[in-house]
Amino acid sequence: MSWFKNLQVYRLPAPWAKTADELNAALAPHSFVPAASNELLRQGWDQPRPGSDLVHVVNRQFLLMLTTEKKLLPASVINQVAKARAAEMEEAQGFAPGKKAMKDLKERVANELLPRAFSTKTSTWVWIDPVNGWLVVDTSSPSRADEVLKLLLKAVDKLPVESLRVQRSPVGVMTSWLEADEAPAGFTVDMDATLRAAGESKAQVAYKRHTLEPADVGRHIEAGKQCTRLALTWDSKISFVLDEKLAIKSVKPLDVLQEKESSIRNGDERFDGDMMLMTAELAKMLADVVEALGGEAKA
């Protein structure tokens, strides 16, 4: 498997008592079935690895996969066909179809075209760490993560999941790191950052693969800008970007971890080895990120 690239992070009780078999049984009625010819969208839980259960378990870590099948039926195509049909109707009856008739015509055209529409499949991965209480959705989109979470809540009755909350504002903490030119223990600051003004202007400056010179960055901070996005490396093992909403993006394992993976040959073994390594390292990294942001905020 590939490493998760973007982490939308949620919290479960640690430890979480739900077993893989219980979770698998809850997901089974919501498993993926290909869309029928007249369906525009179909979603469901699928096997993370061919031949596995809906919940794939390695070293007490759970991996889930949501499959989404969507038909591609652009509004422009429907409008084009409907316009041609409307012209035929006008010629036959001597007047153009009205607003309601045109709406009905577009619906009929869409229903006719749907069985012939191309479809695309996408997969969204979910990692559940019942030992340390993490639930992570691999997407850069908060709305997509919310959608996945709603489907999980629909399948799993009373899933005790919450948003991750920390004691200190990520914006304030990242700004202080840049201002002091010092990252917290175990982290290094890399060469990407975005600083944005808090006022109405929303003026911002973005560094891309550019050395963050303390004097230069300091001038922007003095002018009222704050850091909303910062590239970091954790423990010389994983690089990532932390943003103002506590999302972790552009996750990349570095060479020291890639070397550990290279010794595994068999496909299934490689998949499980990747999963074991990824979940173990990300669990430690997430704990350190939370600690660097002042620890978790409890209700």
Side-chain angles (χ1 to χ4, degrees):
M1 65 171 291
S2 299
W3 275 58
F4 282 24
K5 293 182 173 58
N6 300 284
L7 315 181
Q8 300 289 335
V9 185
Y10 301 88
R11 259 320 202 173
L12 290 168
W16 186 42
K18 182 78 76 174
T19 67
D21 287 343
E22 290 169 340
L23 186 55
N24 193 74
L27 296 179
H30 306 272
S31 58
F32 176 74
V33 177
S37 62
N38 61 344
E39 283 185 307
L40 189 61
L41 178 71
R42 181 64 76 97
Q43 291 181 304
W45 299 99
D46 214 341
Q47 296 173 332
R49 195 187 79 183
S52 74
D53 290 330
L54 297 178
V55 181
H56 186 60
V57 187
V58 174
N59 195 32
R60 297 187 294 167
Q61 303 295 301
F62 301 166
L63 187 67
L64 285 59
M65 185 176 77
L66 182 76
T67 294
T68 300
E69 183 179 4
K70 189 174 183 179
K71 298 286 182 64
L72 300 177
L73 191 56
S76 58
V77 174
I78 296 171
N79 291 336
Q80 183 180 354
V81 176
K83 187 177 179 181
R85 297 270 182 89
E88 292 172 4
M89 290 171 64
E90 182 176 2
E91 186 175 344
Q93 64 192 19
F95 59 89
K99 190 174 181 180
K100 184 179 184 304
M102 198 65 198
K103 182 183 176 183
D104 292 342
L105 178 59
K106 286 183 180 179
E107 288 179 0
R108 289 199 303 273
V109 167
N111 289 334
E112 288 174 20
L113 294 177
L114 194 54
R116 291 181 281 158
F118 289 106
S119 64
T120 60
K121 275 187 184 179
T122 56
S123 297
T124 306
W125 297 84
V126 180
W127 158 45
I128 295 177
D129 177 353
V131 179
N132 300 295
W134 299 113
L135 190 156
V136 178
V137 183
D138 182 13
T139 177
S140 62
S141 165
S143 60
R144 176 62 177 161
D146 287 345
E147 180 186 352
V148 172
L149 206 57
K150 284 177 184 175
L151 292 168
L152 194 54
L153 285 162
K154 184 178 178 181
V156 183
D157 188 40
K158 297 179 181 177
L159 178 69
V161 64
E162 297 178 351
S163 297
L164 173 64
R165 294 180 298 122
V166 290
Q167 295 280 1
R168 301 175 62 195
S169 155
V171 169
V173 173
M174 291 189 294
T175 302
S176 69
W177 293 341
L178 291 180
E179 195 169 25
D181 190 27
E182 186 175 357
F187 293 86
T188 55
V189 172
D190 294 336
M191 299 172 69
D192 285 40
T194 300
L195 292 95
R196 188 175 66 220
E200 291 182 7
S201 71
K202 301 295 182 186
Q204 71 174 31
V205 57
Y207 294 86
K208 294 279 189 182
R209 295 183 292 279
H210 191 289
T211 301
L212 304 181
E213 296 289 351
D216 186 34
V217 172
R219 280 193 296 272
H220 289 296
I221 293 173
E222 286 175 15
K225 294 186 181 71
Q226 292 186 302
C227 183
T228 59
R229 178 181 172 278
L230 184 63
L232 298 160
T233 292
W234 170 76
D235 198 27
S236 302
K237 293 179 180 178
I238 302 171
S239 67
F240 64 95
V241 173
L242 178 65
D243 79 7
E244 60 189 320
K245 295 183 178 177
L246 207 52
I248 295 174
K249 301 180 178 180
S250 304
V251 175
K252 183 180 179 183
L254 302 182
D255 289 347
V256 64
L257 290 180
Q258 303 281 19
E259 288 167 6
K260 287 185 181 180
E261 298 176 75
S262 62
S263 61
I264 302 171
R265 297 285 184 267
N266 175 278
D268 287 349
E269 288 179 359
R270 180 65 182 261
F271 187 100
D272 289 356
D274 287 351
M275 179 180 162
M276 184 182 295
L277 182 63
M278 180 191 79
T279 55
E281 297 297 337
L282 287 183
K284 289 184 283 188
M285 188 190 85
L286 289 175
D288 284 354
V289 169
V290 168
E291 184 181 347
L293 295 172
E296 281 192 74
K298 300 297 183 182

